[in-house]
Amino acid sequence: MKKMTCKQLGGACNKEFRANSFEEIAAMSKQHGMEMFQKKDEAHLKAMSEMQQLMQNPDAMQEWFENKKVEFDSLPEEWE
Ligand SMILES: [Zn+2]
C-alpha cells in the first residue's frame, strides 16, 4: 500500500489516497476530482483545467503519467 496526495496527482488539496497500484490510485484521484468538480471547488476546477490542457497533447499526458507512475513506484510502502 502506498499513498499519494491529491496535489501530487495533479489535484489541488492534501487529501491522501492509498492503493497498491498506480492505476488504482489514479482512478481514486480521478473519482475525487469528479466529486470536487461537481461541488464546483475552485482550486480543483483550476487544477482540472490545467490537466485538460495537458490532455490536449497526448505525448505530454503520457509523459506526465509515466513520471507519476515512477514517483508512485519509488514511494515507500505504508503499513497502516
Ligand atoms: Zn483534492
Side-chain angles (χ1 to χ4, degrees):
M1 208 72 143
K2 299 183 181 193
K3 76 170 184 214
M4 272 180 116
T5 63
C6 176
K7 237 177 212 169
Q8 281 177 299
L9 290 157
C13 70
N14 290 317
K15 183 177 168 64
E16 291 175 348
F17 305 105
R18 287 183 170 76
N20 288 312
S21 72
F22 180 71
E23 285 72 19
E24 225 177 301
I25 212 163
M28 289 165 92
S29 108
K30 196 174 164 189
Q31 178 68 35
H32 164 72
M34 299 286 221
E35 280 167 24
M36 298 316 272
F37 182 78
Q38 275 161 10
K39 287 181 186 165
K40 303 204 191 322
D41 179 85
E42 210 167 302
H44 286 81
L45 289 180
K46 190 168 172 283
M48 282 175 96
S49 83
E50 278 165 22
M51 283 301 285
Q52 266 158 9
Q53 273 177 14
L54 192 65
M55 280 179 217
Q56 307 279 318
N57 182 341
D59 288 344
M61 188 62 214
Q62 184 67 25
E63 197 185 320
W64 183 92
F65 201 81
E66 292 295 327
N67 284 340
K68 287 296 165 186
K69 194 173 182 325
V70 168
E71 192 178 328
F72 180 85
D73 288 340
S74 69
L75 291 171
E77 292 281 345
E78 294 265 329
W79 301 106
E80 290 173 40

